[in-house]
Amino acid sequence: MEKEIKRNCKKIQSEKAGKTQTETKLSDKIKPESVTDTLNTSKKKTTTKTKISISKIQRFSTADGPGIRTTVFFQGCNLRCKWCHNPETQSTKSTFLTFCDERKEISGKAMSVKEIFSIIKKDVDFYEISEGGVTLSGGEPLLQADAAKKLLSLCKQENISTIVDTAGAVPFENFLKVLPVTDLFYFDIKASDSKKYLSFTGGDFSLIRENLIRLTKTGARVEVCVPLILGVNTDASSRNKIANLLKTAGINDIILLPYHKYGISKYKALGRNYEFERKKLTPSSVIEKTKEFYRQKGFTLKTRK
Amino acid sequence: MIEDLRKELSIFPNGEKSEKIYLYLGHRSHYKERPILAKAYGTANLFRQPRAHIYENDLIAGSVRGLFSSEFDERIRQKAESDFSSYGENTFFTNSDHFAPNYRVFLKDGVPGTKEKIEDSMKKHNGEKERRFLLAVKITFDGFIDMIKAYSLAAEEKAEKTENEKNKKNLRLISEDLKFLIDNPPKTFRQALQLMFMTHTAFSYEGKSAMAFGRIDQYLYSYFKKDVESGILTEQETAELLTSVFLKIYENRYFGFDDTVNICIGGITPEGEDGTNALSYIVLKAVKNANIPGPNLSARIHSKTSDRFLDECLKVIATGLGYPALMNDEVNIPALLRHGYEKTDVNDYCFVGCIENFIAGKQPPWSDGRFNVPLYLEPIFFNGKTLINPEYIGIDTGELDGLKTMNDFLEAYHKQLEYAMSVYFAYFNNANDRYNPENYSQPFLSIFCEDCIGRAKDIRDGGSKYPSVHAPACMGIATVADSLAAIDKLVYTDKKYSLSQIAEAIKANFQGYEKMRKELLAAPKYGNDDDFVDRYAVWYVEEMERLVSPYKTRDGGPLYVGIASNVQNIPAGEEIAATPDGRKAKEPISDAASPMHGMDKEGATAVINSVSKPDYTLAACGTVLNQKFSPQMLNNEENRNKVKDLIKVYFKKKGQEIQINSVSRDILKDAMVHPEKYQNLVVRVSGFSAYYVNLDKSVQLDILKRTEHNGSDGV
């Protein structure tokens, strides 16, 4: 009997080992000296003991890029978009949510890069068959760029495709850190001018704009995501400005995301007021019109599915 | 036309169900004969006497409507009832239904070929018992032939009366086909389907349920191909003919419940090639068009299955019907081969009832029972006693202090289970002995099983090519794995509680032990891809195989492990006290092979990873993994592709079965409040689909509670 159990456990372990034979080798590979710090932006030694403050990890994520993905939601954001649907990820500190059915959740815990990667790795078979991979989202993943880079490097060593979903309001050097290990950037453009950016998101549009242009110049693959929000970016003038920016940046792929209110329950669970509670959903006529506009301008409309 | 037929079927028949009276009337006029013969006359009369009912919109004849009659008085009804009890009980333990006939052979032989086989065998056998059996076969088959004649006449009469030209034409065709079938094996697709369904109708007359159609896309394919090639049949007509047959399964509602007629498509051929063909797709479409719970469609998937086929399956699942259930050949075939069947027979396997693996027409009808595995944790804690179940008396495996390690604990559990299985088996043996095959023979059913006629032996008495099988459906894999993991974690790993403390908490149903319950609930749970607990699911499946492997059925057949529970996880839970996984007394245990509701929190990939860890080639009966995806996951092509990839990985990792519900939670909730609005809402329950509004509230809630995967969290 005892033997049986031991055998079973061994079986699982050996299966596990079979799936990820590189487990031991991997730890050799990621020894500090073997990681080429191409851009020399990080002087710190790279170890997987580095921690990332995350909100949560979602497996079988199907709305954050092609195929079956694991999305790592980073904790902490430097924008405060009034429509934000992940408000629990905004604070850099741990945040408690209490839902109306008394379910409690904590957003924000420190996990080592190694721990996170061990979860990511569990689904490699699914990424492989579906051409999926890993998406770093948040929050703003690039606020923890050094750690993000380490995580992404591990993914690339295992040939896992990587996407970084960013609002872009970070020093450009943070982009440079993750650049060599990121296959695709989802770059949000939420409004068309500094004033709107400041009042709706608290963000510095000139920095974001600058980053977008510089990022595409590096040759990185970038798709711009625009949340379609009435009174913010769906009017003719906003659309034109966004289109012009994208042209300037040399971006061809755009993802239009209709505004939704799925985040309301989270505001309630956080005990926070949702300023956009009464905001109208974007009518489908407006969505269609906006799509048509960008299509006419020669952009390729993409989805995040 | 199909919709008109649906309307006709929806009207319930007048009169009372009288099949036992027809049996009785045939039986009593031959009381002087030996039981097997007297009963065969009963069966023959049951086929012969009832009115052959033809629907105005019939495309294929066959109906149980004629069993309903107002012509008999209460006295004869009561007499028939008591006479019927001498026929033996219709139970799972005594191989009476849940059978897939050998339609491949029967359609090839047709009526004349079968008659010839019976006569040939009569010439070869001189033994009294053999001859008596063959005579009984002949008596029932003659009754069946008269039934075909009666339907042919009824169709002709109906054709005369009807004014609708199209219907008239169809009814004439039915009449001619039936007449043709009396003297010839079927030539056309229509005739083959007609003969198959007339046979199925005869079984329905007999009160047999869950009689499977089996691999309909295989045994009807040559007829279909020939007719399409010669231009006498179109794919559209084929779909209509099949839909009209599948719709008839609705008739079982007149008896008060939905039947579960398993229909198998796809899979490999006996020779090992991909058997998916044009007819597979048409069957899929026809089942979808029928849009009722009864046809329990199963799709066999293997490494050579095309993406297109899987996608079409998912599209049908997306309608909410819940079928086809997707079955993995790469697990089921090795699982069956372990029991010594011939490879070509195994490659040709199908299903009966919900998900039970079956070799069509080569073994006696299915037999299974329920084995409530989590219940047997209790006697470890309470010196052989159970707390709620009044009947069960376990064995004393000693004081809890003596269980020093997790392996000691498992050893004690093994002893309890070993004893419980012996109790189960004693009961099984008793039921089998009570209905010995000689007195409770099934001559008509034997016709459809190789090689009862040739051997001149009843299907339950050595006539079938393979012996009978029995499968205890081992329930509660997740409840057990979670309970063992919680004990491992809190008692043996963290040493936070003693087993006696856990026993106290179980006894108190956690009242006063809320903190402990919280910690038990927080221990690793099956379905989250966590080896700490998943290894106990691996152990569970191996343990079940260990428990059943010493036993054999009455005729020396194997015991299969089934990791399924139907909806029995609810009543099973009612007789179990609190369990160490944190589940409270009387709450449902986990369903089939699925994780405990609401405990699988890491998403669908984690469920797949967990559930594919046990070796399911040890479970030859089959498993049921219920998963729920929100409708937007299946209706959008990009998302559906992701679900498809998920299933492909699951099957690559040797998962055995998956079935998917995709009715939104909101609709399910609303249907509980406003059942009148959802009369036709079909959902996947367990190994079968059903009308949601007709389910017991506890079952409705159980379905509602299943974790729903939507691939995003509003994020």
Side-chain angles (χ1 to χ4, degrees):
Chain A
M1 191 70 174
E2 194 163 334
K3 270 184 204 159
E4 287 292 346
I5 284 293
K6 277 187 187 152
R7 206 187 69 204
N8 292 337
C9 297
K10 258 189 205 155
K11 186 185 159 195
I12 292 188
Q13 279 159 6
S14 63
E15 269 177 13
K16 216 181 142 192
K19 279 173 202 160
T20 56
Q21 274 176 345
T22 43
E23 185 132 41
T24 44
K25 288 179 203 157
L26 189 65
S27 53
D28 294 339
K29 271 196 215 163
I30 52 172
K31 275 181 187 165
E33 51 276 13
S34 71
V35 172
T36 37
D37 211 349
T38 33
L39 295 157
N40 283 328
T41 48
S42 168
K43 300 288 182 229
K44 274 182 268 175
K45 286 203 168 182
T46 313
T47 81
T48 47
K49 280 183 189 141
T50 309
K51 302 237 174 188
I52 302 181
S53 175
I54 61 150
S55 167
K56 68 167 180 182
I57 299 174
Q58 185 174 352
R59 294 166 71 178
F60 192 59
S61 169
T62 59
D64 294 305
I68 294 171
R69 311 192 75 83
T70 295
T71 303
V72 183
F73 291 93
F74 281 53
Q75 182 72 20
C77 188
N78 53 352
L79 298 191
R80 290 294 179 272
C81 305
K82 293 198 188 304
W83 52 81
C84 179
H85 60 222
N86 289 335
E88 76 281 13
T89 65
Q90 289 175 348
S91 167
T92 48
K93 293 186 190 123
S94 294
T95 309
F96 294 85
L97 296 97
T98 309
F99 289 92
C100 52
D101 56 1
E102 289 178 20
R103 190 162 44 91
K104 285 191 169 65
E105 272 178 24
I106 302 172
S107 176
K109 58 174 174 178
M111 271 178 91
S112 74
V113 167
K114 193 177 172 184
E115 266 178 289
I116 298 170
F117 187 63
S118 71
I119 294 171
I120 289 172
K121 234 170 35 173
K122 285 174 175 225
D123 288 348
V124 282
D125 295 332
F126 299 92
Y127 311 146
E128 200 179 313
I129 204 163
S130 68
E131 296 176 2
V134 166
T135 301
L136 306 190
S137 183
E140 174 54 66
L142 293 185
L143 287 178
Q144 304 178 62
D146 288 312
K149 177 191 171 180
K150 286 165 196 163
L151 182 59
L152 293 167
S153 306
L154 291 179
C155 293
K156 288 324 294 174
Q157 282 169 21
E158 296 274 316
N159 280 325
I160 298 170
S161 125
T162 54
I163 296 177
V164 170
D165 185 5
T166 176
V170 295
F172 189 66
E173 62 166 33
N174 292 21
F175 278 98
L176 293 177
K177 286 175 186 168
V178 299
L179 189 59
V181 282
T182 303
D183 295 323
L184 172 65
F185 287 93
Y186 282 152
F187 196 120
D188 288 0
I189 293 295
K190 300 165 193 279
S192 55
D193 60 54
S194 302
K195 225 167 128 190
K196 276 185 183 162
Y197 242 103
L198 194 63
S199 68
F200 285 112
T201 75
D204 173 1
F205 182 52
S206 59
L207 172 66
I208 293 165
R209 189 189 141 88
E210 186 73 15
N211 282 343
L212 180 64
I213 294 168
R214 287 178 72 182
L215 182 62
T216 46
K217 276 198 184 136
T218 65
R221 233 184 102 202
V222 182
E223 291 179 10
V224 162
C225 305
V226 181
L228 297 182
I229 299 165
L230 277 184
V232 179
N233 55 23
T234 54
D235 56 292
S237 139
S238 300
R239 289 190 318 227
N240 268 315
K241 284 185 196 162
I242 291 174
N244 289 338
L245 166 61
L246 267 52
K247 290 276 179 204
T248 312
I251 284 176
N252 190 40
D253 295 330
I254 182 165
I255 297 165
L256 301 176
L257 302 164
Y259 167 63
H260 62 70
K261 293 190 178 184
Y262 300 147
I264 284 189
S265 64
K266 292 185 184 171
Y267 282 89
K268 286 185 180 146
L270 289 165
R272 275 172 58 177
N273 184 32
Y274 183 46
E275 279 184 56
F276 262 42
E277 184 140 11
R278 289 170 179 230
K279 185 87 185 170
K280 269 193 200 152
L281 292 177
T282 318
S284 53
S285 57
V286 175
I287 294 171
E288 284 316 309
K289 223 166 138 187
T290 313
K291 279 186 181 170
E292 192 46 38
F293 167 82
Y294 287 109
R295 227 181 265 129
Q296 291 273 330
K297 288 271 175 185
F299 292 100
T300 306
L301 297 189
K302 294 221 160 182
T303 68
R304 285 178 55 145
K305 282 176 180 167
Chain B
M1 199 166 347
I2 289 296
E3 288 318 305
D4 293 330
L5 178 63
R6 190 193 300 276
K7 259 182 229 148
E8 281 190 272
L9 286 163
S10 70
I11 301 159
F12 274 49
N14 294 321
E16 278 185 76
K17 196 167 153 261
S18 307
E19 84 286 2
K20 289 174 189 167
I21 299 174
Y22 296 117
L23 271 177
Y24 165 63
L25 294 175
H27 190 196
R28 66 176 235 163
S29 51
H30 292 82
Y31 274 162
K32 60 178 189 291
E33 312 266 6
R34 289 292 298 261
I36 181 171
L37 295 175
K39 283 174 192 167
Y41 283 113
T43 304
N45 193 59
L46 170 66
F47 293 159
R48 205 172 270 139
Q49 197 182 349
R51 179 176 50 87
H53 183 84
I54 297 283
Y55 289 100
E56 165 93 22
N57 294 284
D58 259 345
L59 298 176
I60 297 289
S63 167
V64 296
R65 202 167 273 259
L67 296 180
F68 290 80
S69 169
S70 325
E71 65 173 306
F72 304 107
D73 65 22
E74 196 46 37
R75 220 180 124 93
I76 189 169
R77 201 165 281 284
Q78 274 173 14
K79 187 68 208 156
E81 199 66 48
S82 75
D83 187 74
F84 181 72
S85 61
S86 72
Y87 272 72
E89 219 177 316
N90 239 354
T91 77
F92 257 158
F93 278 5
T94 52
N95 310 106
S96 58
D97 55 15
H98 283 67
F99 178 74
N102 197 334
Y103 284 128
R104 198 191 289 271
V105 168
F106 182 63
L107 294 182
K108 197 166 146 268
D109 294 343
V111 169
T114 307
K115 255 162 90 174
E116 213 176 286
K117 272 188 178 169
I118 299 168
E119 282 155 15
D120 281 355
S121 188
M122 278 175 149
K123 283 176 204 151
K124 279 181 207 144
H125 289 95
N126 294 318
E128 196 187 334
K129 191 180 160 191
E130 282 81 9
R131 293 189 65 82
R132 198 158 49 227
F133 168 74
L134 289 168
L135 186 57
V137 168
K138 190 176 174 325
I139 291 164
T140 59
F141 198 61
D142 285 345
F144 177 65
I145 296 170
D146 287 347
M147 178 175 162
I148 299 176
K149 285 182 189 157
Y151 273 92
S152 175
L153 278 174
E156 199 179 306
E157 278 170 26
K158 193 89 177 178
E160 290 302 313
K161 280 187 207 145
T162 187
E163 282 168 15
N164 179 315
E165 281 308 315
K166 202 168 179 192
N167 287 346
K168 199 188 269 290
K169 205 178 129 216
N170 285 328
L171 293 170
R172 288 225 167 99
L173 202 51
I174 290 173
S175 179
E176 285 162 21
D177 277 347
L178 286 166
K179 217 178 283 167
F180 178 85
L181 287 168
I182 293 165
D183 300 311
N184 306 280
K187 287 255 180 310
T188 66
F189 176 82
R190 200 182 268 263
Q191 288 164 351
L193 183 62
Q194 176 65 79
L195 187 58
M196 183 279 269
F197 191 61
M198 194 49 64
T199 312
H200 184 80
T201 306
F203 293 134
S204 301
Y205 274 31
E206 285 193 285
K208 292 186 186 301
S209 57
M211 295 297 287
F213 287 170
R215 302 190 75 184
I216 195 168
D217 63 342
Q218 304 300 306
Y219 65 75
L220 287 182
Y221 183 67
S222 60
Y223 303 94
F224 162 80
K225 189 165 174 273
K226 207 173 95 220
D227 286 5
V228 169
E229 278 169 6
S230 65
I232 61 165
L233 185 75
T234 66
E235 294 205 351
Q236 178 62 31
E237 284 164 344
T238 311
E240 268 179 14
L241 289 169
L242 287 166
T243 307
S244 82
V245 165
F246 299 156
L247 267 182
K248 291 274 179 78
I249 297 168
Y250 181 88
E251 282 197 323
N252 210 78
R253 305 219 90 209
Y254 309 157
F255 303 155
F257 60 97
D258 284 304
D259 200 1
T260 310
V261 177
N262 210 302
I263 302 168
C264 176
I265 52 172
I268 57 172
T269 62
E271 295 74 35
E273 298 303 314
D274 180 20
T276 317
N277 56 41
L279 195 53
S280 320
Y281 290 91
I282 297 173
V283 171
L284 201 50
K285 188 175 156 193
V287 170
K288 185 174 95 178
N289 292 346
N291 191 31
I292 57 164
N296 196 22
L297 189 64
S298 311
R300 281 177 48 180
I301 307 295
H302 55 91
S303 57
K304 294 173 201 158
T305 299
S306 70
D307 247 32
R308 184 187 153 217
F309 184 62
L310 192 51
D311 197 50
E312 291 301 318
C313 288
L314 283 173
K315 280 188 198 161
V316 176
I317 291 170
T319 61
L321 287 166
Y323 44 63
L326 304 173
M327 308 291 192
N328 192 359
D329 275 4
E330 315 287 339
V331 173
N332 283 329
I333 290 173
L336 289 168
L337 282 175
R338 282 169 42 91
H339 294 289
Y341 304 115
E342 284 169 29
K343 179 94 171 119
T344 47
D345 285 342
V346 168
N347 285 350
D348 205 23
Y349 82 102
C350 64
F351 311 90
V352 296
C354 297
I355 49 93
E356 298 90 312
N357 290 329
F358 197 82
I359 299 177
K362 293 187 183 184
Q363 62 185 108
W366 184 252
S367 160
D368 66 39
R370 312 274 182 250
F371 190 56
N372 194 354
V373 188
L375 173 67
Y376 309 112
L377 283 166
E378 276 174 58
I380 307 175
F381 288 101
F382 307 106
N383 298 90
K385 292 188 188 68
T386 51
L387 298 182
I388 297 175
N389 183 312
E391 284 168 28
Y392 185 74
I393 303 168
I395 52 168
D396 188 348
T397 36
E399 293 308 314
L400 292 172
D401 295 352
L403 307 177
K404 303 273 185 229
T405 64
M406 189 61 202
N407 278 319
D408 290 346
F409 187 86
L410 281 167
E411 185 71 46
Y413 191 28
H414 172 70
K415 282 181 190 152
Q416 294 291 351
L417 288 170
E418 208 171 34
Y419 176 71
M421 185 55 82
S422 73
V423 173
Y424 174 99
F425 214 73
Y427 182 67
F428 169 74
N429 280 337
N430 279 339
N432 266 291
D433 290 345
R434 207 175 307 140
Y435 301 107
N436 70 59
E438 194 170 354
N439 291 338
Y440 299 97
S441 61
Q442 308 211 53
F444 184 66
L445 190 69
S446 299
I447 296 169
F448 303 91
C449 183
E450 185 184 330
D451 181 30
C452 299
I453 298 175
R455 293 184 191 175
K457 280 187 173 154
D458 187 83
I459 190 167
R460 291 178 61 227
D461 199 18
S464 59
K465 177 170 181 180
Y466 298 120
S468 68
V469 299
H470 179 77
C474 305
M475 300 188 284
I477 184 172
T479 303
V480 168
D482 292 351
S483 292
L484 293 175
I487 289 169
D488 187 346
K489 176 104 175 64
L490 290 165
V491 177
Y492 295 109
T493 307
D494 297 352
K495 304 195 192 310
K496 210 151 181 194
Y497 298 106
S498 68
L499 284 177
S500 312
Q501 284 172 301
I502 305 257
E504 287 307 312
I506 289 174
K507 213 169 186 174
N509 196 17
F510 297 121
Q511 268 199 346
Y513 295 86
E514 284 76 13
K515 188 173 159 276
M516 185 201 287
R517 178 165 183 253
K518 235 179 172 169
E519 290 170 88
L520 291 168
L521 283 170
K525 295 281 179 274
Y526 186 50
N528 296 298
D529 197 5
D530 181 343
D531 284 347
F532 188 88
V533 48
D534 293 351
R535 64 186 158 164
Y536 290 111
V538 173
W539 173 85
Y540 179 101
V541 174
E542 290 181 358
E543 170 73 1
M544 294 308 116
E545 168 62 14
R546 264 194 297 278
L547 293 178
V548 304
S549 57
Y551 297 102
K552 291 270 176 241
T553 59
R554 168 180 42 79
D555 49 350
L559 271 278
Y560 290 175
V561 170
I563 308 292
S565 61
N566 210 329
V567 290
Q568 297 294 319
N569 62 312
I570 302 165
E574 277 166 19
E575 54 182 61
I576 310 179
T579 36
D581 58 340
R583 172 193 149 279
K584 285 193 170 173
K586 300 192 177 185
E587 284 181 1
I589 56 171
S590 63
D591 146 76
S594 321
M596 191 67 183
H597 297 339
M599 291 298 172
D600 47 338
K601 293 177 177 162
E602 297 292 322
T605 54
V607 172
I608 295 300
N609 283 347
S610 277
V611 175
S612 54
K613 280 175 198 170
D615 179 2
Y616 279 115
T617 63
L618 299 176
C621 162
T623 50
V624 170
L625 173 64
N626 281 303
Q627 288 288 283
K628 195 152 77 179
F629 288 92
S630 57
Q632 71 262 25
M633 280 304 297
L634 289 170
N635 286 323
N636 162 299
E637 193 184 337
E638 278 167 332
N639 282 339
R640 190 169 60 243
N641 281 336
K642 296 181 186 186
V643 175
K644 194 164 69 186
D645 288 337
L646 190 78
I647 292 166
K648 281 195 205 158
V649 174
Y650 175 54
F651 279 7
K652 211 173 102 191
K653 288 175 177 240
K654 308 284 186 223
Q656 194 166 19
E657 191 258 18
I658 185 167
Q659 49 189 34
I660 296 167
N661 241 318
S662 83
V663 180
S664 79
R665 208 171 278 253
D666 291 342
I667 286 180
L668 294 178
K669 275 185 193 159
D670 197 42
M672 287 181 80
V673 188
H674 305 289
E676 68 284 355
K677 279 162 56 190
Y678 297 95
Q679 287 298 310
N680 293 322
L681 175 65
V682 179
V683 297
R684 191 75 187 180
V685 182
S686 188
F688 61 95
S689 294
Y691 288 113
Y692 188 70
V693 295
N694 291 335
L695 294 168
D696 185 78
K697 204 174 165 201
S698 64
V699 180
Q700 289 181 331
L701 280 171
D702 205 58
I703 294 171
L704 194 63
K705 277 191 208 153
R706 289 177 194 162
T707 308
E708 181 173 283
H709 302 295
N710 55 20
S712 69
D713 210 8
V715 176

